[in-house]
Amino acid sequence: YSKKSGAYRMKKFFMKWGIWTGLVALSLLPLWDLMHPGLPITHDGQDHVARIANFYQSLSEGHVVPRWAANLNWGYGHPILMFLYPLPSYVASAFHFVGFSLIDSTKLVFAFGFIASMLAMYLWITSAWGVAAGITASVLYAFAPYRFVDLYVRGAIGEHMAFVFPPLICYGLLLLAKEKNHISAGALTVISFGTALLILSHNALSLMFLPLIGLYALYLAAQETKSPARFIMIGAVGILFGFLLSVFYWVPGFFEGKYTLRDIVTAGEFTGRFVPWFSFLYSPWSYGGGNELSKWLGAGQILALGLSFFALEKNTKHRRFIIVCMLLLFFSLFAMTANSAPVWNAVTLLQKFQFPWRLMSVTVFLIAGIGAFVVYIAPEKSRRWTALILVIVSIFGTIPMWRAKEYKVFPQSYFTGIYNSTTDTGESSPIWSIRFMEKRPEALAYMVPLAGTINVGERSTTLKVYRVNVKEPARFVESTLYFPGWQVFINGSPLAIEKLIFQDPTYRGLMTFDLTPGDYDIRFEFGETKLRRISNYLSLGALALFVVSIGTIRLLWRKKE
């Protein structure tokens, strides 16, 4: 056919969308097990549903940025929503809003993350190196054993969602590099929102991936664009917008973490989580704890690495790319082994990752790129066969991993009511409290001694109202943990913070204060601190500025055209 003919264009259209449809169909195969009724029993899955239930409840009360989980921690409340990746909870809340149960909404987030990550990798690599390389990379990226560890063993919803965005950001950078004469509004949008969503998906993984994305930007500046300085500047602006758009989450999470047990609970946790070198070549599939998890790179992934050494013999302009990727891969593997213990002890930032084997996320990303390069530089006659072999080996090597250990059916009320856990390892607990509460409170509020009456009024996730009659001096105890943002109003006047007692070990970080005889209207309200308000305004301002900037860019280039 002539390339200008309608038949040719029709053929290309069906081929293009046929591949996309095929990839979606392929991605559904390992997700089929999620159709089983109930919740897959994973390390964190049950707690994620409880957290999402609290997140949705806060959203339904009008809090655009939920920060306080009122029903967690045996009903004493918990600030966990401030510190752990909100994007999966927003997506799950959208599914729940349209009618899905909390469990099904959580399962849909896992399914969405898996499919979207596969398509994002295909979009990026196909744009760079062609269809065969794109298909190979997408399969290596999705059908890696660690991806199924996250899905069916750990139930790590944040990490699972985060896999969507690194290839998407790289695609945006590639689009930007290909624009020779003007700024691409589309590329800037992908870079900015991709960065923001990566941070909102998982804070630790964003710290792992952003340096790799920065190195890819430098590679593009050197190889793909005639104006490296201009490209770097615009790309940096896009990344900066991403940080500003997500500042409502990461700034309070970072700076107010000092009010939690984070540094105490996580200190030294990495020491017992290193991975033996041989486990990368093979470790059996397991549903056990962190040290028992399979750290196997995968059959197709190891094959791709083997073929990459032959690729190094070819002197192409992309040779430096594969060398850098292999060095980064070696470093990420090294950082997961006990040989790197001195580095972990010296670099405190690494300790925020908690588990060295979390760097498996980086290895999955790097090997997908390496495998795509192998296919890209293969002779044209063998390119499709190379891609097909890598795809088949990757898929068939993971088939035994496409299922959860078991499923359990829970009533919805199990997650919407009081939940006997914090849904994390206790690192987000207020520093004035203990790591985990031990039993549910006997009353919503009480007095010591019992010297009067307490009538309960309006209640929500962030509001507790009481009408109190006190007959003799007493300590009023609210069965809610204190965290910055809580304020107490007595008869309409705010209680001075120095009179709010929350460091008394007798009451385990609960909000208490002294009352003299009389009648009182008491309100406990949880609101934004000054830092949170500033962060919210910065994010809103960044969004407004971004919309104006994109509109201006489109208008200017439309006039020039």
Side-chain angles (χ1 to χ4, degrees):
Y1 303 118
S2 167
K3 289 188 177 181
K4 294 183 179 180
S5 69
Y8 177 83
R9 290 196 296 271
M10 185 66 70
K11 179 181 177 181
K12 293 289 287 184
F13 173 84
F14 280 111
M15 286 182 61
K16 175 182 176 180
W17 289 105
I19 293 171
W20 284 98
T21 304
L23 289 174
V24 172
L26 183 61
S27 69
L28 292 175
L29 294 178
L31 299 175
W32 189 256
D33 194 65
L34 292 177
M35 296 295 291
H36 194 289
L39 179 71
I41 300 305
T42 58
H43 298 173
D44 300 333
Q46 182 174 315
D47 287 343
H48 282 310
V49 181
R51 185 186 306 158
I52 289 166
N54 279 262
F55 191 95
Y56 182 82
Q57 181 182 0
S58 186
L59 270 180
S60 65
E61 292 174 3
H63 305 291
V64 178
V65 183
R67 300 193 190 273
W68 185 260
N71 291 331
L72 297 185
N73 199 22
W74 297 81
Y76 289 96
H78 208 268
I80 189 173
L81 302 183
M82 285 185 54
F83 301 104
L84 292 178
Y85 37 83
L87 182 62
S89 295
Y90 278 115
V91 178
S93 294
F95 285 127
H96 187 51
F97 179 76
V98 298
F100 291 98
S101 70
L102 287 168
I103 288 177
D104 287 342
S105 297
T106 306
K107 290 159 74 173
L108 283 169
V109 172
F110 278 105
F112 172 79
F114 188 82
I115 298 169
S117 67
M118 191 172 181
L119 297 182
M121 180 60 77
Y122 172 76
L123 178 65
W124 169 37
I125 297 297
T126 298
S127 301
W129 291 340
V131 171
I135 293 174
T136 305
S138 67
V139 172
L140 288 172
Y141 194 54
F143 289 80
Y146 186 70
R147 297 297 306 278
F148 297 108
V149 168
D150 270 356
L151 175 59
Y152 284 128
V153 181
R154 295 181 62 214
I157 196 169
E159 283 193 26
H160 195 74
M161 178 67 78
F163 275 101
V164 177
F165 303 106
L168 205 58
I169 299 169
C170 290
Y171 171 68
L173 289 168
L174 182 63
L175 284 182
L176 186 64
K178 288 182 176 181
E179 292 290 348
K180 304 299 182 184
N181 300 316
H182 64 272
I183 302 173
S184 169
L188 197 59
T189 301
V190 172
I191 295 168
S192 299
F193 280 90
T195 302
L197 295 175
L198 173 60
I199 295 170
L200 297 176
S201 293
H202 201 282
N203 39 0
L205 258 65
S206 64
L207 290 176
M208 294 181 192
F209 277 115
L210 286 172
L212 298 183
I213 292 167
L215 289 173
Y216 180 66
L218 293 177
Y219 161 78
L220 290 176
Q223 297 285 345
E224 302 291 341
T225 180
K226 294 180 180 179
S227 305
R230 174 179 168 276
F231 166 76
I232 291 295
M233 182 186 69
I234 298 171
V237 168
I239 298 291
L240 177 60
F241 264 120
F243 273 90
L244 291 174
L245 289 168
S246 58
V247 79
F248 72 91
Y249 159 66
W250 67 264
V251 163
F254 180 79
F255 288 101
E256 294 189 349
K258 64 184 178 182
Y259 302 122
T260 70
L261 297 173
R262 179 179 63 192
D263 294 334
I264 298 172
V265 171
T266 60
E269 190 170 357
F270 66 91
T271 54
R273 304 301 186 113
F274 289 113
V275 182
W277 279 100
F278 65 83
S279 294
F280 300 129
L281 296 178
Y282 180 72
S283 54
W285 183 249
S286 170
Y287 293 94
N291 291 341
E292 299 173 30
L293 298 175
S294 176
K295 314 304 190 305
W296 185 36
L297 296 179
Q301 288 72 14
I302 292 173
L303 178 59
L305 291 177
L307 294 175
S308 68
F309 287 98
F310 295 99
L312 287 174
E313 298 177 359
K314 297 199 172 187
N315 187 18
T316 70
K317 71 173 185 176
H318 299 289
R319 188 179 182 183
R320 292 178 182 175
F321 174 85
I322 193 69
I323 291 174
V324 171
C325 283
M326 293 178 74
L327 288 174
L328 290 170
L329 177 64
F330 174 78
F331 176 76
S332 63
L333 294 174
F334 168 79
M336 287 186 275
T337 67
N339 304 97
S340 66
V343 179
W344 282 80
N345 283 311
V347 183
T348 56
L349 180 63
L350 286 175
Q351 297 175 23
K352 304 297 183 186
F353 300 158
Q354 292 184 276
F355 319 122
W357 45 259
R358 235 177 199 152
L359 287 163
M360 289 294 296
S361 302
V362 172
T363 68
V364 170
F365 180 76
L366 289 170
I367 293 175
I370 291 171
F373 178 81
V374 168
V375 171
Y376 171 66
I377 67 165
E380 188 173 350
K381 292 183 179 179
S382 60
R383 186 173 300 155
R384 292 184 179 180
W385 284 107
T386 304
L388 183 61
I389 290 171
L390 288 174
V391 165
I392 289 175
V393 173
S394 298
I395 294 172
F396 279 85
T398 59
I399 288 177
M401 309 171 189
W402 297 0
R403 62 180 183 272
K405 183 179 181 180
E406 60 179 308
Y407 285 80
K408 186 175 180 180
V409 177
F410 294 89
Q412 188 100 320
S413 59
Y414 182 81
F415 299 105
T416 56
I418 301 299
Y419 191 71
N420 300 344
S421 170
T422 64
T423 79
D424 71 356
T425 57
E427 70 266 22
S428 301
S429 295
I431 198 167
W432 309 282
S433 177
I434 60 173
R435 190 171 177 180
F436 305 111
M437 301 305 268
E438 299 169 349
K439 61 181 180 180
R440 297 189 182 190
E442 296 179 2
L444 299 176
Y446 55 93
M447 286 186 287
V448 180
L450 182 58
T453 59
I454 300 175
N455 295 312
V456 179
E458 183 181 357
R459 294 184 68 83
S460 69
T461 58
T462 58
L463 177 66
K464 325 288 182 184
V465 178
Y466 303 96
R467 178 65 179 170
V468 179
N469 173 260
V470 183
K471 298 187 181 299
E472 62 181 81
R475 172 74 62 88
F476 186 92
V477 182
E478 161 63 32
S479 298
T480 299
L481 292 179
Y482 174 77
F483 198 78
W486 277 111
Q487 282 188 294
V488 182
F489 296 87
I490 299 178
N491 294 331
S493 299
L495 179 70
I497 189 65
E498 59 268 17
K499 293 184 178 181
L500 180 61
I501 305 168
F502 49 85
Q503 300 184 40
D504 187 339
T506 304
Y507 301 105
R508 300 174 180 264
L510 302 181
M511 292 183 281
T512 74
F513 50 89
D514 295 321
L515 290 175
T516 57
D519 293 323
Y520 300 93
D521 289 315
I522 300 176
R523 296 170 60 89
F524 293 82
E525 294 184 11
F526 185 78
E528 302 286 56
T529 61
K530 184 182 293 185
L531 178 65
R532 292 174 212 161
R533 283 194 296 271
I534 293 172
S535 300
N536 292 342
Y537 292 144
L538 282 174
S539 287
L540 284 173
L543 180 60
L545 180 59
F546 182 83
V547 171
V548 171
S549 300
I550 293 297
T552 303
I553 290 170
R554 290 186 179 278
L555 183 62
L556 288 175
W557 289 112
R558 189 177 299 168
K559 286 182 178 180
K560 287 189 177 183
E561 292 171 355

